[in-house]
Amino acid sequence: MPKKYLDPKLIKTKHISLLTLFSSGGTLICCALPALLVSLGAGAVMASVVSSVPQIVWFSEHKLGVFIFAGVMLSISGFLQWKARSLPCPSDKELAELCNKTRVNSLRVYFFSVCVFFIGGFMAFVAPWLMS
């Protein structure tokens, strides 16, 4: 029985979406999570996290670079999502279902990444400006 394969372009789009999620996760670690914990009165929790994992401070110290990288990754992922939207799915029923499922999951990951990016951006750049 021959092996069934998805279009490599769809697999590439899925991998880029996952990389985008992880890069926008850096924006969440850098800015949104600490701001949320402090605003909820859980500053001690944040201090405990930082003392346990001091490398997490790197994200805050380099937040502009983290946001630039995440923005570039989101742009690339968005372009690939847009480009892949019109790719045909295989005529085989199983592969067509897998193709559509992969496409939907990739879009979900992408939109979740965009939300995380904007929440982190608000907490890193807008919220401090509003509070001052």
Side-chain angles (χ1 to χ4, degrees), residues 14-87:
K14 181 180 178 183
H15 290 133
I16 293 290
S17 290
L18 288 173
L19 183 59
T20 301
L21 175 65
F22 290 123
S23 66
S24 65
T27 65
L28 183 68
I29 291 170
C30 133
C31 309
L33 185 62
L36 176 67
L37 289 173
V38 170
S39 67
L40 292 175
V45 172
M46 191 60 211
S48 174
V49 169
V50 170
S51 67
S52 297
V53 187
Q55 296 82 0
I56 206 167
V57 174
W58 182 90
F59 287 101
S60 294
E61 291 173 347
H62 299 92
K63 68 181 172 186
L64 185 59
V66 169
F67 274 91
I68 289 171
F69 177 73
V72 167
M73 291 306 302
L74 282 169
S75 299
I76 291 169
S77 181
F79 174 73
L80 290 175
Q81 291 285 342
W82 178 77
K83 193 173 171 184
R85 81 191 189 295
S86 61
L87 290 175

